[in-house]
Amino acid sequence: MSCIFCKIANGEISAKIIYQDERVVAFNDLSPQAPQHYLIIPRKHLATLNDLTNEDVELAGHMLCVAKQIAIDLGIAETGYRTVINCNSDGGQAVYHLHLHLLGGRQMEWPPG
Ligand code: AMP
Ligand code: ZN
């Protein structure tokens, strides 16, 4: 498996991991777009959001709950933050292992680029 995020999840490639459990891993984005920028990934390889099935409903909800808890722990839950999942080419997806971006620590703009 040549997937870079699978390698982070199984420890083959190092990352600054801030949270992990049996289903997900959260780590610092290598190229942060905000003062706080983390990625939450499932350990299960799913290439894109399009690959979610009914089997993954609980996993997808868990990813969101982990993002929320990280935001609370970092002290940005009240000031606010943004979660993003880019899907495929038009969505701007670069790494084809499902990941939830958690960005905070600055004012976000809308619409996104
Ligand atoms: P996306 O465009 O949604 O696919 O985002 C991919 C993200 O993964 C980008 O924000 C990259 O900076 C980040 N990224 C790529 N490689 C690594 C890595 N080895 N460790 C941490 N983040 C990474
Ligand atoms: Zn993968």
Side-chain angles (χ1 to χ4, degrees):
M1 177 61 88
S2 62
C3 172
I4 191 166
F5 285 178
C6 281
K7 287 182 176 172
I8 287 175
N10 69 26
E12 273 182 72
I13 290 180
S14 67
K16 192 165 177 216
I17 292 174
I18 58 161
Y19 174 83
Q20 59 182 319
D21 62 27
E22 68 284 355
R23 287 172 289 175
V24 303
V25 181
F27 52 92
N28 285 56
D29 195 292
L30 202 58
S31 175
Q33 302 301 310
Q36 283 157 320
H37 187 177
Y38 306 95
L39 302 174
I40 297 109
I41 66 167
R43 289 187 182 277
K44 175 181 180 180
H45 180 86
L46 294 164
T48 80
L49 191 58
N50 290 338
D51 297 298
L52 271 188
T53 70
N54 287 339
E55 266 183 28
D56 305 310
V57 167
E58 208 271 341
L59 175 62
H62 184 56
M63 288 171 66
L64 284 171
C65 286
V66 166
K68 174 214 69 171
Q69 191 59 49
I70 291 170
I72 291 170
D73 294 346
L74 293 172
I76 58 171
E78 293 307 318
T79 47
Y81 57 93
R82 181 169 291 172
T83 54
V84 175
I85 296 176
N86 297 322
C87 183
N88 278 338
S89 178
D90 276 4
Q93 185 171 5
V95 177
Y96 280 77
H97 179 127
L98 179 64
H99 50 281
L100 177 66
H101 293 259
L102 168 61
L103 301 120
R106 68 167 169 84
Q107 180 64 56
M108 300 296 158
E109 306 291 332
W110 194 263

